[in-house]
Amino acid sequence: MSSFVLSDEILAIYVPILVYWLYSSFYMILGSTKKYRLHSYEEEDQKNLVSKREAIKGVLLQQIVQVIVAFLMFKVSSNHGSSTPTSSTPIIKLAKQFTIAALVFDAWQYFMHRYMHHNRFLYKHVHSYHHRLVAPYAFASQYNHPLEGLLLDTLGGAVSFVVSGMSPRASVFFFSFTTIRGIDVHCGLIVPWNPLHVLFGDQTVHHDMHHQLYGTKYNFSQPFFTFWDRMLGTHMDCTVEKRLGGGFQARPVKSLKS
């Protein structure tokens, strides 16, 4: 019984969820002061169209769907990859798998995300749920309509796993890292000493611009890189200024056509 509970597949399903709540809690503690915030408490309360309680309920629903799909994926592909420890996998091979998975996941996220904005039906009935958060914060980063959570995040992760050829053990680390990056993108904080914020540049501000009413046709890329936006003309550049009284404020560099 214990070997089943601690199997790589079970860890790959549940560890990212545990990481989600631990890492987002860390950001919520940081956000309790004005020092790192992109949005004031007043803006958060006034702009967001969903309460924190409803956001938590939405995230939990998505994570239930995520668990079911991941379980079925591992069940169907039980002969895929290997359950041997990650340390036995050559580091170059592992790095290649992670790179492929990240590129595939980013491409899936960009094109599916952009399509959900351009398809009026999908935006109105599905993706608009996520845009109820005009001032995003960490533990609501996975707040979506359940169908969006399935199409954008869960299936995107499954495709990345299969295409990259990584083992269930390796996927524990990849999906946990993907979860961390998703929270980084939506945390609503600028944390200059965080090495991931330094490594991935302006991703937090980049995606925060997308959540503003003037930015919904721009900055679709997430959670790792921004090159799809830059290549395909949907990148919105911005400046970041210190807010009087603490925190930061991001503004578009120039006005953009609708």
Side-chain angles (χ1 to χ4, degrees):
M1 178 67 179
S2 59
S3 61
F4 173 76
V5 172
L6 297 177
S7 69
D8 294 340
E9 291 82 0
I10 294 299
L11 290 174
I13 292 171
Y14 290 106
V15 168
I17 294 175
L18 178 62
V19 168
Y20 181 88
W21 292 107
L22 290 176
Y23 193 65
S24 63
S25 295
F26 166 72
Y27 269 129
M28 295 306 291
I29 293 172
L30 280 183
S32 63
T33 68
K34 297 180 179 180
K35 185 175 182 180
Y36 304 110
R37 296 177 66 95
L38 275 169
H39 301 279
S40 66
Y41 294 108
E42 293 75 19
E43 286 178 323
E44 196 173 277
D45 291 337
Q46 293 170 7
K47 291 182 176 181
N48 288 340
L49 304 178
V50 61
S51 69
K52 287 182 169 64
R53 175 177 294 184
E54 288 302 311
I56 290 175
K57 288 168 61 177
V59 170
L60 290 174
L61 176 59
Q62 175 171 330
Q63 289 177 339
I64 290 172
V65 175
Q66 178 181 316
V67 166
I68 294 171
V69 173
F71 178 81
L72 293 174
M73 178 186 70
F74 285 125
K75 197 76 172 176
V76 170
S77 59
S78 57
N79 60 345
H80 172 80
S82 170
S83 295
T84 57
T86 304
S87 58
S88 67
T89 302
I91 189 66
I92 295 178
K93 179 180 178 181
L94 195 60
K96 180 180 178 181
Q97 291 174 339
F98 270 51
T99 301
I100 292 172
L103 292 173
V104 170
F105 193 72
D106 259 20
W108 182 281
Q109 289 274 313
Y110 177 85
F111 289 104
M112 286 293 294
H113 184 192
R114 185 173 178 177
Y115 181 69
M116 284 188 173
H117 274 270
H118 287 277
N119 184 298
R120 292 184 178 180
F121 179 86
L122 285 178
Y123 184 82
K124 179 179 180 180
H125 297 285
V126 180
H127 189 54
S128 62
Y129 276 62
H130 185 63
H131 278 272
R132 292 174 180 176
L133 295 165
V134 181
Y137 50 89
F139 71 72
S141 65
Q142 289 185 4
Y143 174 74
N144 297 304
H145 187 283
L147 180 59
E148 176 176 351
L150 175 64
L151 294 177
L152 204 65
D153 299 324
T154 306
L155 289 185
V159 171
S160 302
F161 170 76
V162 173
V163 172
S164 67
M166 68 175 61
S167 68
R169 175 70 62 87
S171 74
V172 176
F173 298 95
F174 177 73
F175 290 137
S176 295
F177 187 54
T178 301
T179 298
I180 287 172
R181 287 301 304 146
I183 293 170
D184 280 348
V185 166
H186 290 89
C187 68
L189 307 176
I190 295 180
V191 188
W193 44 262
N194 184 326
L196 296 181
H197 285 232
V198 174
L199 179 63
F200 292 96
D202 64 351
Q203 265 287 50
T204 303
V205 178
H206 177 271
H207 194 70
D208 191 89
M209 290 290 95
H210 173 73
H211 274 261
Q212 307 313 303
L213 297 180
Y214 53 75
T216 56
K217 294 182 180 180
Y218 299 88
N219 294 8
F220 300 107
S221 296
Q222 58 177 345
F224 297 109
F225 311 108
T226 61
F227 62 81
W228 284 115
D229 279 312
R230 297 178 189 276
M231 287 172 55
L232 299 178
T234 55
H235 175 71
M236 174 196 285
D237 205 358
C238 64
T239 59
V240 179
E241 307 164 352
K242 286 193 174 182
R243 186 192 297 268
L244 186 64
F248 300 91
Q249 186 168 12
R251 301 179 185 277
V253 169
K254 58 182 179 180
S255 60
L256 296 163
K257 296 178 180 180
S258 60

Short mmCIF file of all heavy atoms in Angstrom, two decimals, residues 62 65 69 105 108-109 112-113 115-116 122 126 145-159:
data_model
loop_
_atom_site.label_atom_id
_atom_site.label_comp_id
_atom_site.label_asym_id
_atom_site.label_seq_id
_atom_site.Cartn_x
_atom_site.Cartn_y
_atom_site.Cartn_z
N GLN A 62 -10.75 23.17 -10.12
CA GLN A 62 -9.81 22.87 -11.21
C GLN A 62 -8.81 21.80 -10.80
O GLN A 62 -8.46 20.92 -11.59
CB GLN A 62 -9.05 24.12 -11.64
CG GLN A 62 -7.97 23.82 -12.68
CD GLN A 62 -7.35 25.04 -13.28
OE1 GLN A 62 -8.00 26.07 -13.39
NE2 GLN A 62 -6.09 24.94 -13.67
N VAL A 65 -10.27 18.33 -11.12
CA VAL A 65 -10.23 17.90 -12.53
C VAL A 65 -8.82 17.52 -12.93
O VAL A 65 -8.58 16.51 -13.61
CB VAL A 65 -10.77 19.01 -13.45
CG1 VAL A 65 -10.63 18.62 -14.92
CG2 VAL A 65 -12.24 19.32 -13.12
N VAL A 69 -7.64 13.86 -14.51
CA VAL A 69 -7.01 13.75 -15.83
C VAL A 69 -5.60 13.19 -15.71
O VAL A 69 -5.18 12.33 -16.50
CB VAL A 69 -6.99 15.11 -16.55
CG1 VAL A 69 -6.19 15.03 -17.84
CG2 VAL A 69 -8.41 15.57 -16.85
N PHE A 105 4.76 23.52 -23.78
CA PHE A 105 3.75 24.08 -22.87
C PHE A 105 3.52 25.55 -23.17
O PHE A 105 2.38 26.03 -23.20
CB PHE A 105 4.18 23.89 -21.42
CG PHE A 105 3.08 24.16 -20.43
CD1 PHE A 105 2.02 23.28 -20.30
CD2 PHE A 105 3.10 25.29 -19.63
CE1 PHE A 105 0.99 23.52 -19.38
CE2 PHE A 105 2.10 25.55 -18.73
CZ PHE A 105 1.04 24.66 -18.60
N TRP A 108 1.53 25.83 -26.43
CA TRP A 108 0.13 25.44 -26.17
C TRP A 108 -0.60 26.58 -25.47
O TRP A 108 -1.72 26.95 -25.86
CB TRP A 108 0.10 24.18 -25.32
CG TRP A 108 -1.28 23.66 -25.03
CD1 TRP A 108 -2.16 24.12 -24.10
CD2 TRP A 108 -1.94 22.58 -25.71
NE1 TRP A 108 -3.33 23.41 -24.13
CE2 TRP A 108 -3.22 22.44 -25.11
CE3 TRP A 108 -1.58 21.71 -26.74
CZ2 TRP A 108 -4.12 21.48 -25.51
CZ3 TRP A 108 -2.50 20.74 -27.14
CH2 TRP A 108 -3.75 20.64 -26.54
N GLN A 109 0.02 27.14 -24.43
CA GLN A 109 -0.60 28.21 -23.66
C GLN A 109 -0.84 29.45 -24.53
O GLN A 109 -1.92 30.04 -24.48
CB GLN A 109 0.31 28.58 -22.48
CG GLN A 109 0.36 27.55 -21.37
CD GLN A 109 -0.76 27.72 -20.37
OE1 GLN A 109 -1.03 28.81 -19.89
NE2 GLN A 109 -1.43 26.62 -20.04
N MET A 112 -3.63 28.64 -27.49
CA MET A 112 -4.95 28.38 -26.91
C MET A 112 -5.48 29.63 -26.20
O MET A 112 -6.66 29.98 -26.33
CB MET A 112 -4.87 27.21 -25.92
CG MET A 112 -4.72 25.85 -26.58
SD MET A 112 -6.21 25.36 -27.50
CE MET A 112 -7.40 25.20 -26.18
N HIS A 113 -4.59 30.30 -25.47
CA HIS A 113 -4.97 31.51 -24.75
C HIS A 113 -5.42 32.61 -25.73
O HIS A 113 -6.46 33.24 -25.55
CB HIS A 113 -3.77 31.97 -23.92
CG HIS A 113 -4.04 33.14 -23.04
ND1 HIS A 113 -3.04 33.84 -22.41
CD2 HIS A 113 -5.20 33.77 -22.69
CE1 HIS A 113 -3.57 34.83 -21.71
NE2 HIS A 113 -4.88 34.81 -21.86
N TYR A 115 -6.51 32.24 -28.77
CA TYR A 115 -7.76 31.84 -29.44
C TYR A 115 -8.96 32.11 -28.53
O TYR A 115 -10.02 32.52 -29.00
CB TYR A 115 -7.70 30.37 -29.83
CG TYR A 115 -8.95 29.90 -30.54
CD1 TYR A 115 -9.26 30.36 -31.82
CD2 TYR A 115 -9.84 29.02 -29.93
CE1 TYR A 115 -10.41 29.96 -32.47
CE2 TYR A 115 -10.99 28.61 -30.57
CZ TYR A 115 -11.28 29.08 -31.84
OH TYR A 115 -12.43 28.67 -32.48
N MET A 116 -8.79 31.89 -27.23
CA MET A 116 -9.90 32.12 -26.31
C MET A 116 -10.27 33.60 -26.22
O MET A 116 -11.40 33.95 -25.87
CB MET A 116 -9.55 31.59 -24.91
CG MET A 116 -9.63 30.09 -24.81
SD MET A 116 -9.44 29.51 -23.11
CE MET A 116 -9.78 27.76 -23.34
N LEU A 122 -16.08 31.64 -26.64
CA LEU A 122 -15.19 31.10 -25.61
C LEU A 122 -14.79 32.17 -24.60
O LEU A 122 -14.67 31.88 -23.40
CB LEU A 122 -13.94 30.50 -26.26
CG LEU A 122 -14.12 29.15 -26.95
CD1 LEU A 122 -12.81 28.70 -27.60
CD2 LEU A 122 -14.58 28.09 -25.95
N VAL A 126 -16.23 31.29 -21.13
CA VAL A 126 -15.16 30.49 -20.52
C VAL A 126 -14.04 31.39 -19.97
O VAL A 126 -13.84 31.50 -18.77
CB VAL A 126 -14.59 29.46 -21.52
CG1 VAL A 126 -13.47 28.65 -20.86
CG2 VAL A 126 -15.69 28.51 -21.99
N HIS A 145 -12.48 29.10 -15.46
CA HIS A 145 -13.63 28.23 -15.74
C HIS A 145 -13.08 26.80 -15.83
O HIS A 145 -11.98 26.58 -16.36
CB HIS A 145 -14.27 28.64 -17.07
CG HIS A 145 -15.54 27.91 -17.38
ND1 HIS A 145 -15.55 26.61 -17.85
CD2 HIS A 145 -16.83 28.31 -17.33
CE1 HIS A 145 -16.79 26.23 -18.05
NE2 HIS A 145 -17.60 27.24 -17.75
N PRO A 146 -13.80 25.80 -15.31
CA PRO A 146 -13.29 24.41 -15.35
C PRO A 146 -12.89 23.94 -16.74
O PRO A 146 -11.90 23.21 -16.89
CB PRO A 146 -14.47 23.59 -14.81
CG PRO A 146 -15.22 24.54 -13.94
CD PRO A 146 -15.09 25.89 -14.60
N LEU A 147 -13.62 24.38 -17.78
CA LEU A 147 -13.27 23.97 -19.14
C LEU A 147 -11.93 24.57 -19.56
O LEU A 147 -11.12 23.91 -20.20
CB LEU A 147 -14.37 24.39 -20.12
CG LEU A 147 -14.13 24.01 -21.59
CD1 LEU A 147 -13.99 22.48 -21.73
CD2 LEU A 147 -15.26 24.52 -22.48
N GLU A 148 -11.69 25.83 -19.17
CA GLU A 148 -10.39 26.43 -19.49
C GLU A 148 -9.27 25.73 -18.75
O GLU A 148 -8.20 25.49 -19.31
CB GLU A 148 -10.38 27.92 -19.13
CG GLU A 148 -9.01 28.55 -19.36
CD GLU A 148 -8.97 30.04 -19.11
OE1 GLU A 148 -10.04 30.64 -18.93
OE2 GLU A 148 -7.86 30.60 -19.11
N GLY A 149 -9.50 25.41 -17.48
CA GLY A 149 -8.49 24.69 -16.72
C GLY A 149 -8.12 23.38 -17.39
O GLY A 149 -6.95 23.00 -17.44
N LEU A 150 -9.14 22.71 -17.94
CA LEU A 150 -8.90 21.44 -18.63
C LEU A 150 -8.15 21.65 -19.93
O LEU A 150 -7.13 20.99 -20.19
CB LEU A 150 -10.24 20.74 -18.89
CG LEU A 150 -10.18 19.45 -19.71
CD1 LEU A 150 -9.40 18.37 -18.96
CD2 LEU A 150 -11.60 18.95 -20.03
N LEU A 151 -8.61 22.59 -20.77
CA LEU A 151 -8.03 22.78 -22.11
C LEU A 151 -6.66 23.44 -22.06
O LEU A 151 -5.74 23.05 -22.77
CB LEU A 151 -8.98 23.62 -22.96
CG LEU A 151 -10.33 23.00 -23.32
CD1 LEU A 151 -11.17 24.00 -24.10
CD2 LEU A 151 -10.14 21.73 -24.14
N LEU A 152 -6.53 24.46 -21.22
CA LEU A 152 -5.32 25.28 -21.25
C LEU A 152 -4.20 24.68 -20.40
O LEU A 152 -3.07 24.54 -20.86
CB LEU A 152 -5.65 26.69 -20.77
CG LEU A 152 -4.72 27.81 -21.24
CD1 LEU A 152 -4.81 27.98 -22.74
CD2 LEU A 152 -5.08 29.11 -20.53
N ASP A 153 -4.52 24.32 -19.17
CA ASP A 153 -3.49 23.90 -18.23
C ASP A 153 -3.30 22.38 -18.18
O ASP A 153 -2.20 21.88 -18.38
CB ASP A 153 -3.82 24.41 -16.82
CG ASP A 153 -3.87 25.93 -16.77
OD1 ASP A 153 -3.07 26.57 -17.46
OD2 ASP A 153 -4.73 26.47 -16.04
N THR A 154 -4.39 21.66 -17.92
CA THR A 154 -4.27 20.21 -17.71
C THR A 154 -3.86 19.49 -18.99
O THR A 154 -2.90 18.70 -19.00
CB THR A 154 -5.59 19.63 -17.17
OG1 THR A 154 -5.97 20.36 -15.99
CG2 THR A 154 -5.42 18.17 -16.82
N LEU A 155 -4.55 19.75 -20.10
CA LEU A 155 -4.19 19.09 -21.36
C LEU A 155 -2.85 19.60 -21.88
O LEU A 155 -2.08 18.83 -22.46
CB LEU A 155 -5.29 19.30 -22.40
CG LEU A 155 -6.60 18.55 -22.15
CD1 LEU A 155 -7.56 18.75 -23.31
CD2 LEU A 155 -6.34 17.06 -21.94
N GLY A 156 -2.57 20.88 -21.67
CA GLY A 156 -1.27 21.41 -22.07
C GLY A 156 -0.13 20.70 -21.35
O GLY A 156 0.90 20.38 -21.94
N GLY A 157 -0.32 20.44 -20.06
CA GLY A 157 0.68 19.71 -19.30
C GLY A 157 0.81 18.27 -19.78
O GLY A 157 1.92 17.74 -19.87
N ALA A 158 -0.32 17.63 -20.11
CA ALA A 158 -0.29 16.25 -20.58
C ALA A 158 0.45 16.14 -21.91
O ALA A 158 1.26 15.23 -22.12
CB ALA A 158 -1.71 15.72 -20.72
N VAL A 159 0.18 17.07 -22.83
CA VAL A 159 0.87 17.07 -24.13
C VAL A 159 2.37 17.28 -23.93
O VAL A 159 3.20 16.62 -24.56
CB VAL A 159 0.28 18.15 -25.06
CG1 VAL A 159 1.13 18.30 -26.32
CG2 VAL A 159 -1.16 17.80 -25.43
#
